[in-house]
Amino acid sequence: MEILKAEIARKRKLLEEKQLVDDKKKFFRRGDLSAKDTEEVLQKVGYKKQEQVVEPRAEGAYSFVADGQNILPRLEVIRRLRERGEPVLLFGETEPEAFDRLRICEISQPEANRGFRNDFQEAMEQVDAAYLQEMFANTPTAKEDKKSDFTELDESISWESIQAMAQKMGRNKDYDMDVIITLLTFLLKLWNAQIASYTKHEKMSTKVKMTRVIYTQTKEYVKPLFRKLKHHTLPEDILDSLRDICKHLLNRNYISASDAYLEMAIGNAPWPIGVTMVGIHARTGREKIFSKNVAHVMNDETQRKYIQGLKRLMTKCQEYFPTDPSKCVEYVSKKDRE
């Protein structure tokens, strides 16, 4: 009995130290005790609670202030929460807490609802935004794009200089990757210059708008390929195919370049997806099925996109540097194109 009385006295003294009970107050809430315990733990680890102030704005908008920094207006927080299918305000939740919940959602799920969007639609939205910016600023968007994306390409680079560089291909992998990225960047630069040459009236037409959308989409598609070429991390099997494609393009033999492209994209193996064993016995000629023969377009979505972007650049190369119809793929004369 003495042990029980001692434990009750110890508990009461602990509650008095936490200022939960006194001579006038004989009871306390369990939530208050939990809050006190949490506060003590945070003080031990050195956590300092940030004070958040809500400043009213016009039309019911609020801006949250923490450590002297303006965060987001209330209307913007509501819009982003609705885009993610989250409740605008939970029961008992303050507006700063709603902003904290939005920030947690954006960190844990940065691409929410983006996988269901069509990348062609995204490219069209980018073109529309660029066109509106061009209208209001009265400055050509393509020229701005040229300054930002093609600054690394030397102005002295020409078709003839790339042909001279390609004479040494096949000796060093890093050098081959540098030549390939130079050629592809040069083709993108020509495509960008073609778009910039359109008049303001032509840019309003559907045909030119679709051309700008395809250009924007292609530029996004080939970014992973450019990144691997720049850091010299491209797989050897894809590098071999790209080397052959670039050599054929520089020789203006577009039929052979298309064949090399198809061999890289879908392969020439009996089973393009790489199945080499369908039973308990080894198949005849199994050793001929290796990574270069399989369909790289089936590996992943990123690889499929930059392979598709490469095909568009090959088509543009044939348009800018025409040759005999016997060496062209789906030859269209300049007169018919216009």
Side-chain angles (χ1 to χ4, degrees):
M1 195 67 182
E2 297 296 332
I3 297 176
L4 182 59
K5 288 182 179 180
E7 181 66 19
I8 293 174
R10 188 184 69 83
K11 290 279 187 180
R12 182 170 183 80
K13 183 179 180 181
L14 181 64
L15 294 175
E16 289 177 353
E17 290 177 354
K18 294 184 177 181
Q19 298 179 354
L20 293 176
V21 295
D22 51 22
D23 295 337
K24 296 180 180 179
K25 187 177 180 181
K26 303 298 182 182
F27 64 92
F28 67 95
R29 293 192 305 170
R30 182 66 63 178
D32 297 337
L33 177 61
S34 178
K36 288 285 185 179
D37 293 338
T38 304
E39 186 177 352
E40 289 179 0
V41 172
L42 292 177
Q43 287 178 355
K44 286 181 181 179
V45 299
Y47 176 79
K48 184 179 179 182
K49 187 176 180 181
Q50 298 178 351
E51 294 185 359
Q52 295 181 332
V53 183
V54 180
E55 296 181 353
R57 289 190 176 185
E59 299 181 0
Y62 291 88
S63 177
F64 305 134
V65 179
D67 288 342
Q69 295 180 354
N70 292 330
I71 312 293
L72 275 180
R74 175 59 184 164
L75 295 179
E76 179 67 15
V77 174
I78 293 175
R79 185 186 67 82
R80 294 192 183 186
L81 286 172
R82 284 176 175 167
E83 280 184 354
R84 295 175 172 272
E86 294 287 335
V88 172
L89 201 67
L90 296 176
F91 179 77
E93 184 181 48
T94 62
E95 292 179 352
E97 290 173 350
F99 169 74
D100 292 337
R101 178 163 54 87
L102 170 65
R103 187 167 54 180
I104 293 173
C105 290
E106 289 179 342
I107 293 174
S108 60
Q109 301 174 356
E111 297 295 331
N113 296 332
R114 300 291 287 179
F116 301 100
R117 291 173 59 86
N118 189 346
D119 52 3
F120 189 81
Q121 182 183 0
E122 289 185 1
M124 185 170 291
E125 290 176 358
Q126 292 180 13
V127 170
D128 290 339
Y131 180 69
L132 290 176
Q133 184 180 0
E134 179 182 346
M135 286 180 58
F136 289 114
N138 199 18
T139 55
T141 306
K143 291 184 179 179
E144 295 177 1
D145 189 19
K146 178 180 177 181
K147 292 180 182 178
S148 60
D149 290 339
F150 305 109
T151 52
E152 297 181 0
L153 190 64
D154 192 359
E155 293 294 334
S156 61
I157 295 295
S158 62
W159 180 258
E160 290 74 16
S161 62
I162 298 176
Q163 285 179 324
M165 294 168 59
Q167 298 296 329
K168 301 179 183 179
M169 290 182 69
R171 303 174 187 175
N172 187 354
K173 295 180 183 178
D174 295 347
Y175 179 81
D176 294 348
M177 294 186 194
D178 293 337
V179 175
I180 292 170
I181 193 174
T182 302
L183 175 60
L184 298 182
T185 308
F186 179 72
L187 293 175
L188 271 177
K189 181 180 178 181
L190 292 179
W191 196 356
N192 181 61
Q194 180 188 10
I195 295 175
S197 64
Y198 291 122
T199 63
K200 186 175 294 186
H201 179 70
E202 289 175 338
K203 288 180 180 179
M204 296 177 63
S205 64
T206 305
K207 181 180 178 181
V208 176
K209 183 178 178 181
M210 295 303 294
T211 302
R212 297 177 68 181
V213 169
I214 293 174
Y215 166 75
T216 305
Q217 187 185 39
T218 304
K219 193 169 61 173
E220 292 295 326
Y221 277 6
V222 297
K223 276 184 179 179
L225 176 61
F226 280 16
R227 194 178 304 115
K228 291 183 179 181
L229 289 171
K230 185 176 180 180
H231 297 126
H232 301 153
T233 57
L234 191 69
E236 188 172 355
D237 50 347
I238 299 182
L239 176 60
D240 293 339
S241 300
L242 280 179
R243 186 188 298 117
D244 295 338
I245 291 173
C246 289
K247 285 183 177 179
H248 293 313
L249 289 178
L250 292 170
N251 294 328
R252 302 194 184 188
N253 191 345
Y254 302 113
I255 295 286
S256 300
S258 179
D259 293 341
Y261 168 80
L262 289 175
E263 183 178 348
M264 177 186 68
I266 62 176
N268 56 2
W271 291 312
I273 60 175
V275 179
T276 59
M277 188 72 70
V278 294
I280 61 175
H281 301 293
R283 181 178 175 271
T284 306
R286 176 178 174 269
E287 65 277 0
K288 295 182 181 179
I289 304 177
F290 52 95
S291 60
K292 189 176 179 180
N293 299 108
V294 301
H296 292 96
V297 76
M298 299 182 184
N299 284 357
D300 56 51
E301 188 68 11
T302 302
Q303 205 166 70
R304 180 197 68 79
K305 287 182 177 180
Y306 70 66
I307 287 177
Q308 182 181 355
L310 175 65
K311 178 59 178 174
R312 291 175 177 174
L313 292 178
M314 291 170 59
T315 304
K316 283 295 174 181
C317 182
Q318 178 177 317
E319 178 183 340
Y320 298 143
F321 303 99
T323 184
D324 297 335
S326 60
K327 295 182 180 179
C328 293
V329 180
E330 296 180 359
Y331 176 77
V332 179
S333 64
K334 186 175 181 180
K335 183 178 180 181
D336 296 337
R337 196 184 301 120
E338 293 175 353

